[in-house]
Amino acid sequence: MPPDIEAIAEQVFTALADPTRRSILAALAAGGPATATDLAERLPITRQAIAKHLFLLAEVGLVTAEPGER
């Protein structure tokens, strides 16, 4: 069964609708791979909040976790 393209697009756009997640993606695009702790040092967001946002971004395929990284 092929993936539901509309459902996938909706999930991606929902993830991108949040300005915090866009800031995280921008920081990753500008600075390359980073941990939640690294991002918390660059952004005005707690490490725990960043981790939650990264989890959602990973669920929709916008970021991937590196093996051995948290």
Side-chain angles (χ1 to χ4, degrees):
M1 174 185 267
D4 182 354
I5 299 301
E6 288 296 319
I8 293 169
E10 183 177 345
Q11 291 173 341
V12 169
F13 285 119
T14 297
L16 293 174
D18 185 284
T20 300
R21 288 191 282 274
R22 291 194 308 272
S23 294
I24 291 169
L25 288 174
L28 290 170
T35 64
T37 302
D38 295 334
L39 291 168
E41 292 172 0
R42 293 191 246 168
L43 300 169
I45 310 164
T46 66
R47 190 204 65 78
Q48 293 82 1
I50 289 173
K52 288 180 183 182
H53 286 292
L54 287 172
F55 179 78
L56 190 142
L57 291 167
E59 279 189 323
V60 300
L62 294 174
V63 298
T64 57
E66 294 290 323
E69 297 294 328
R70 295 200 66 190

